[in-house]
Amino acid sequence: MTELVLLRHREIPKINQLDVYKKNGGFEAFEKVVTSMKPDEVTEIVKTSGLRGRGGAGFPTGVKWSFMDNNNWPHYVVANADESEPGTFKDREIMESNPFQFLEGVAIASYAVGATEAYVYCRGEFWELTHVLDEKIAELEEAGLLGDNLFGTEYSLRIYTHLGAGAYICGEETALLESMEGKRGQPRLRPPFPPSYGLYGKPTVVNNVETLTNVPLIITKGGEWYKSLGTEDTAGVKVFSLSGRVKKPGNYELPFGTSFRELIFEHGGGIIDDRPVRAIMAAGASSALIVAEDKALDTPMDYASVRELKADLGSASIIVIDDTVSIDWVLKKTIHFFEHESCGKCTPCREGNYWMNHIIERIHGGDATHDDVELLDSVAKQIENKCLCALGEFSIQAVMTGIERFPQDFEIAVKN
Amino acid sequence: MNKIAEKYSGDIEKIIAKYPPEQKRSAVMSLLYIAQREDGYVTKHDINEIAEILEMTPTEVVALVGFYTLYHDKQDGKYRIQVCNDLPCALRGADEFLENLCENLGIQVGDTTEDGLVSVEGVMCLAACDKAPMFQVQTGDGLKYHEEMTVENTMELIESWKKEEKK
Ligand SMILES: Cc1cc2nc3c(=O)[nH]c(=O)nc-3n(C[C@H](O)[C@H](O)[C@H](O)COP(=O)(O)O)c2cc1C
Ligand code: SF4
Ligand code: FES
């Protein structure tokens, strides 16, 4: 078996303790960059690695870092630990069990963009975890791995946690920055993007927890090494959060390009009671519904291949649906989520989700006709492309593909 | 009378120090949690006090209490049990768990037990979808996860809180 890159606590017991992490090479990469490399050289290695953001959008990480506006200071790094997409629970495991590798990733990113202050924005529900992270950060300061004049150089860095308070939209990077500024978490109009106008109006890199946790090993082993993992389209490894009707739900670190079939049937142990798998959501509740036929199951999980199924891999949160539930029930759940989480800033998203929620309640409750299914579809289409942020688009993915790809479920729902 | 400012002055100073001096307002989320330590919810007095400390208007602070789900503006149960019944957990029995738990407590989803000890509600994904049924318990002192739960061991947990109260 190849060595794990992210979930290393599964191979190295107690890697959440600083002495153990250091014994296994921890903070050598950070020391190396601070003492012997220019910030741009660090960014170049990350560019070479092909690392793309793991928060859902898949934007090349090194390219993002190189966009930082060098005529406006100070610079900030913010780690996005808001992890609230239904079906996603990887960042939590990484921070709980391999926290120092994550923090070293934050530190290297900060050096690369010249930030002397970095924040970790944790969703409010990660209360206990955030307090543990505070302790880990304090340990690093005591050990001289964070603080002033690191490794005898001019470079200083402090990392702080910031606790959110329950709002999915705060995972969207500009809403997150608003929230950090003590405002309601509502997305900003973009452009400008955070690398030119971010936290307090200063250039800011926002990266997902998993993205940053890749960085220390990329520095140690090189960009080419990382690029050799995964597929041509999508380099590297990914923590796939597998949930729903499988025997063994959980996080699985695998190279990009692993098939849905391997994830669900080998790693996940197959479907509960060996029932047939009907549908797959690949990016949590924000996903299109993929019909789980052979062609789909054999599709390699990288960004380009999943797009061929008219779906997105997003954060790679794989929700597995069997024949014990109906698709109208699935939509009831996803619509309820988005109706609750819409920040209310734009009318199509706010009102559209409100109406979709009413209509799906009727359909699932058996009080609807075929016209209501068409109405649901048309409300979804009125939300399409009319929203300030991606949440609006996310909210209609399952609705439109559910109605289109599983018409029989809706026929049954309206017949009764 | 400055309730939280006096009682938690050390904590508050530390929190404000995380942010640039002219960006005190960033501390508002943490201060609202501190306010909830006292009564389990944010009072009008707290709002005014936080606004004063951070040089915000009370209206701005109120808007945040309304926007974020972990802040409360009224007293519910001392222990808020927030069961995740979002899609992935619901595919693993979370809806039945929530219903059975409430039935055992003799309350409706969203309500509080007569003794004021426990409220139960359904909430959105808590990033523990492989550990359903699961819930978090919010009290004034913070939040704690309980994963792979049954109604039986949840009732035992509630019994242990009752004993704690009697002490
Ligand atoms: C509604 C919404 C919710 C999001 N939630 C998260 C989240 O919880 N965690 C995350 O890392 N990114 C989330 N994102 C993506 C972020 O906006 C941003 O793209 C990401 O943090 C950038 O980091 P990356 O390049 O490392 O992926 C969300 C986006 C949207 C539109
Ligand atoms: S699309 Fe929805 S969540 Fe995004 S800004 Fe508009 S109302 Fe808010
Ligand atoms: S759906 Fe319940 S924790 Fe994710």
Side-chain angles (χ1 to χ4, degrees):
Chain A
M1 212 186 117
T2 51
E3 281 180 13
L4 293 171
V5 176
L6 299 157
L7 305 180
R8 282 166 75 214
H9 53 280
R10 295 185 179 182
E11 291 174 347
I12 306 169
K14 301 199 177 144
I15 199 168
N16 65 336
Q17 295 178 5
L18 186 54
D19 55 336
V20 177
Y21 182 63
K22 283 187 72 180
K23 243 182 237 145
N24 286 278
F27 280 89
E28 283 171 15
F30 184 48
E31 179 166 359
K32 178 173 145 191
V33 301
V34 172
T35 55
S36 69
M37 288 170 71
K38 292 206 186 83
D40 290 350
E41 292 171 337
V42 181
T43 302
E44 274 314 307
I45 295 177
V46 174
K47 273 190 192 165
T48 306
S49 75
L51 177 66
R52 292 163 66 172
R54 304 296 191 237
F59 193 83
T61 306
V63 176
K64 184 187 280 190
W65 295 2
S66 69
F67 285 164
M68 289 290 271
D69 179 358
N70 284 324
N71 295 317
N72 190 1
W73 295 87
H75 290 178
Y76 292 107
V77 166
V78 178
N80 188 342
D82 193 57
E83 192 166 63
S84 308
E85 178 69 45
T88 313
F89 44 90
K90 63 189 178 69
D91 297 338
R92 182 179 160 219
E93 179 172 347
I94 290 171
M95 291 188 293
E96 271 177 3
S97 304
N98 193 8
F100 288 114
Q101 188 174 326
F102 159 59
L103 291 170
E104 187 177 2
V106 175
I108 295 169
S110 300
Y111 179 76
V113 302
T116 56
E117 265 162 1
Y119 294 93
V120 181
Y121 185 104
C122 292
R123 64 179 295 182
E125 291 83 353
F126 290 168
W127 177 283
E128 291 188 296
L129 170 57
T130 306
H131 288 89
V132 173
L133 280 180
D134 283 337
E135 288 165 19
K136 303 288 178 198
I137 291 167
E139 269 180 63
L140 290 174
E141 286 180 0
E142 219 156 277
L145 296 166
L146 286 178
D148 291 332
N149 297 99
L150 293 165
F151 314 109
T153 68
E154 298 275 279
Y155 185 63
S156 305
L157 174 65
R158 289 207 152 65
I159 302 178
Y160 302 103
T161 59
H162 181 103
L163 201 56
Y168 168 68
I169 191 60
C170 290
E172 194 282 334
E173 57 186 17
T174 60
L176 182 151
L177 296 172
E178 289 285 296
S179 176
M180 274 204 64
E181 292 180 2
K183 301 172 196 156
R184 284 183 296 174
Q186 292 186 315
R188 297 175 181 167
L189 202 62
R190 299 182 308 169
F193 292 93
S196 43
Y197 188 93
L199 182 62
Y200 311 129
K202 298 298 174 187
T204 303
V205 154
V206 181
N207 269 137
N208 170 262
V209 170
E210 182 185 355
T211 311
L212 293 164
T213 307
N214 278 293
V215 173
L217 265 70
I218 290 175
I219 298 300
T220 306
K221 298 192 180 185
E224 292 297 340
W225 160 77
Y226 195 80
K227 203 175 161 57
S228 73
L229 309 170
T231 68
E232 188 74 38
D233 173 74
T234 318
V237 294
K238 181 80 190 74
V239 180
F240 294 90
S241 293
L242 179 65
S243 69
R245 304 286 303 162
V246 287
K247 287 179 189 160
K248 293 189 287 180
N251 286 319
Y252 296 95
E253 178 183 323
L254 299 163
F256 278 106
T258 303
S259 70
F260 285 105
R261 193 187 298 281
E262 181 184 330
L263 176 67
I264 295 169
F265 289 92
E266 282 178 38
H267 304 286
I271 310 299
I272 297 172
D273 297 332
D274 296 316
R275 302 191 73 94
V277 49
R278 277 192 85 210
I280 301 168
M281 302 179 84
S286 300
S287 308
L289 282 153
I290 299 170
V291 181
E293 53 200 15
D294 282 339
K295 179 176 157 255
L297 287 169
D298 290 322
T299 299
M301 291 185 284
D302 65 23
Y303 295 118
S305 307
V306 175
R307 207 156 297 137
E308 278 172 30
L309 297 170
K310 296 208 172 73
D312 274 301
L313 188 56
S315 51
S317 317
I318 316 294
I319 306 174
V320 178
I321 296 159
D322 65 2
D323 66 345
T324 58
V325 295
S326 62
I327 298 302
D328 49 299
W329 174 83
V330 171
L331 297 198
K332 186 174 110 130
K333 285 288 181 187
T334 63
I335 294 172
H336 180 63
F337 174 79
F338 289 110
E339 195 260 344
H340 188 267
E341 299 299 338
S342 166
C343 83
K345 191 163 177 169
C346 26
T347 315
C349 172
R350 183 185 65 237
E351 299 293 313
N353 273 290
Y354 173 82
W355 283 112
M356 290 204 297
N357 198 33
H358 271 282
I359 302 166
I360 195 70
E361 288 279 348
R362 272 214 308 276
I363 295 173
H364 183 69
D367 284 333
T369 65
H370 187 72
D371 290 349
D372 291 302
V373 180
E374 274 176 16
L375 182 63
L376 179 62
D377 195 44
S378 87
V379 175
K381 287 188 173 122
Q382 286 170 55
I383 296 174
E384 202 173 11
N385 299 326
K386 288 198 190 68
C387 296
L388 181 66
C389 87
L391 185 143
E393 300 302 318
F394 292 168
S395 72
I396 58 176
Q397 295 308 313
V399 178
M400 300 203 304
T401 53
I403 294 172
E404 180 194 325
R405 299 175 191 174
F406 297 88
Q408 63 278 29
D409 292 46
F410 293 87
E411 266 158 44
I412 294 168
V414 298
K415 217 177 246 162
N416 298 330
Chain B
M1 185 188 67
N2 277 348
K3 199 172 58 168
I4 42 181
E6 271 166 30
K7 198 158 168 192
Y8 301 107
S9 63
D11 290 352
I12 293 175
E13 248 169 62
K14 257 198 233 150
I15 292 163
I16 293 178
K18 289 186 185 182
Y19 308 98
E22 68 285 4
Q23 303 291 352
K24 271 207 281 195
R25 181 177 174 153
S26 284
V28 66
M29 299 186 76
S30 292
L31 262 55
L32 283 167
Y33 281 123
I34 288 184
Q36 288 196 156
R37 275 191 212 165
E38 293 288 312
D39 311 296
Y41 72 105
V42 184
T43 64
K44 224 176 139 184
H45 184 94
D46 298 330
I47 302 264
N48 291 330
E49 208 187 321
I50 290 173
E52 195 187 311
I53 299 171
L54 299 179
E55 294 159 40
M56 298 169 67
T57 68
T59 321
E60 286 170 331
V61 183
V62 170
L64 300 182
V65 176
F67 188 83
Y68 297 100
T69 59
L70 291 177
Y71 301 132
H72 309 281
D73 57 8
K74 66 178 199 323
Q75 184 138 34
D76 291 311
K78 180 165 177 195
Y79 296 84
R80 295 170 197 269
I81 299 184
Q82 300 169 339
V83 180
C84 172
N85 66 338
D86 215 342
L87 175 63
C89 279
L91 285 164
R92 306 184 72 81
D95 280 328
E96 294 76 17
F97 172 84
L98 176 59
E99 215 168 284
N100 291 340
L101 177 63
C102 286
E103 203 172 298
N104 262 268
L105 289 168
I107 57 171
Q108 301 285 321
V109 177
D111 284 353
T112 306
T113 53
E114 244 170 51
D115 57 6
L117 193 67
V118 180
S119 314
V120 183
E121 60 179 327
V123 297
M124 305 301 153
C125 181
L126 296 172
C129 329
D130 55 337
K131 305 273 167 48
M134 65 79 58
F135 55 80
Q136 65 182 4
V137 178
Q138 187 179 18
T139 63
D141 294 325
L143 285 144
K144 198 171 160 49
Y145 275 34
H146 296 269
E147 302 178 316
E148 294 177 323
M149 295 299 282
T150 62
V151 173
E152 290 73 50
N153 62 23
T154 306
M155 293 304 287
E156 279 164 28
L157 182 67
I158 295 171
E159 279 308 311
S160 75
W161 296 338
K162 282 187 185 155
K163 285 204 191 103
E164 192 72 18
E165 288 301 301
K166 285 204 189 106
K167 269 186 203 159

